[in-house]
Amino acid sequence: MDMPHEKGGRGIAYCVRCLMPNTRPRIVFDDQGICNACRHAETKWDHIDWDARRQEFLQLLDTYRSKDGSWDCVVPWSGGKDSSAIAYKLKYEFGMNPLLTTFSPQLPTDVGTRNREALIQQGFDHFIIRPNQKVHRRLAKRFFIERGNHKVAWDAGINATPVQVAVKFNIPLVFYAEHGESEYGGKVLSEESKKIRNFTEVIEHQIGDDPHNWIDEEITQRDLNPYLYPALADVQRVQAKAYYFAYFFKWSSYENYLYIKEKFDFQLAPGGRSEGTF
């Protein structure tokens, strides 16, 4: 419902089903007050042949599965429930040999560090990039002042790192978790972009900028390496493609938590969830 507002400001509306507010970028409400994420969920649960999607997934893995023991897929991995569940399933249910990649969080937490170490101890290879902290602090402050979002550079890093690793180690397959624009409400560029990661969509929706634009009197080209996508020619040479795991299976963050909690001692933040901190 619309909230009162003054002086021409836009009122806040909430989806009548899930209560997602219209302050989420690119979300769309229909004439019944239902957001496009809920409409997508209707399709996801009722109108998709999930057995066929699973078979498509298995055929995809058979195409890329390593025969010589080398890494055969990259998993962008925060250490949270979703990416951990994907990594575990790929290795121990589907026989893949994933390389986990992490772009270091801006504010590491004890529980996050502990959960990452706990999964690594289950038998995974892990590659982590921690960017120049002087540069990263400079960028975080700049973007907080300019755009009200201190995470612009971090968003660029978490999107670029897995592709950098894929190119560096000649690994053509990358698995992201879910397609956020359809799962949570946003602008879907095409049906194909729900399955295969679209570079234009990433720049426009998740970063909002090309890191080359960040050069100024303090930030130089050499400071930007952790945030830059590889050259298109290099991506094409490796024939790297990034897929969304959630395209092939019914996606539920809660089910991911229950799954990974059974596999090792996955810990929750001691203070509970942190809505409203940003």
Side-chain angles (χ1 to χ4, degrees), residues 36-178:
N36 50 350
C38 285
R39 291 305 187 194
H40 169 75
E42 291 175 355
T43 301
K44 178 174 68 173
W45 293 107
D46 299 331
H47 304 292
I48 293 176
D49 185 341
W50 291 108
D51 290 335
R53 290 275 180 98
R54 179 183 176 88
Q55 288 305 310
E56 183 181 358
F57 178 76
L58 294 176
Q59 292 172 7
L60 179 69
L61 297 190
D62 286 343
T63 301
Y64 290 98
R65 185 175 284 106
S66 171
K67 296 179 176 60
D68 61 5
S70 58
W71 296 309
D72 48 25
C73 60
V74 173
V75 177
W77 181 57
S78 67
K81 61 191 184 310
D82 296 324
S83 55
S84 294
I86 291 171
Y88 201 97
K89 289 178 180 180
L90 283 169
K91 181 156 189 168
Y92 293 115
E93 293 187 12
F94 298 109
M96 299 295 283
N97 188 21
L99 173 60
L100 311 186
T101 67
T102 303
F103 189 81
S104 178
Q106 284 185 309
L107 297 173
T109 64
D110 291 340
V111 69
T113 300
R114 183 198 175 284
N115 283 339
R116 280 194 296 274
E117 183 62 23
L119 185 67
I120 291 170
Q121 292 299 326
Q122 296 291 311
F124 288 89
D125 296 320
H126 179 219
F127 186 91
I128 185 168
I129 291 180
R130 190 159 191 245
N132 179 325
Q133 293 296 283
K134 181 178 179 181
V135 171
H136 201 70
R137 285 193 300 272
R138 158 75 177 171
L139 291 171
K141 180 178 180 180
R142 170 182 169 181
F143 291 130
F144 180 70
I145 294 170
E146 289 182 1
R147 309 179 193 183
N149 179 7
H150 60 85
K151 291 171 66 266
V152 171
W154 186 79
D155 287 336
I158 64 172
N159 282 285
T161 294
V163 185
Q164 289 180 355
V165 170
V167 169
K168 176 69 174 178
F169 295 105
N170 294 304
I171 307 171
L173 182 61
V174 181
F175 275 113
Y176 284 86
E178 76 275 44

Side-chain angles (χ1 to χ4, degrees), residues 177-198:
E178 76 275 44
H179 179 247
E181 294 297 307
S182 56
E183 288 288 335
Y184 310 117
K187 183 177 177 60
V188 180
L189 295 187
S190 68
E191 284 300 308
E192 185 73 0
S193 69
K194 296 178 182 179
K195 173 183 175 181
I196 300 177
R197 197 166 175 84
N198 184 296

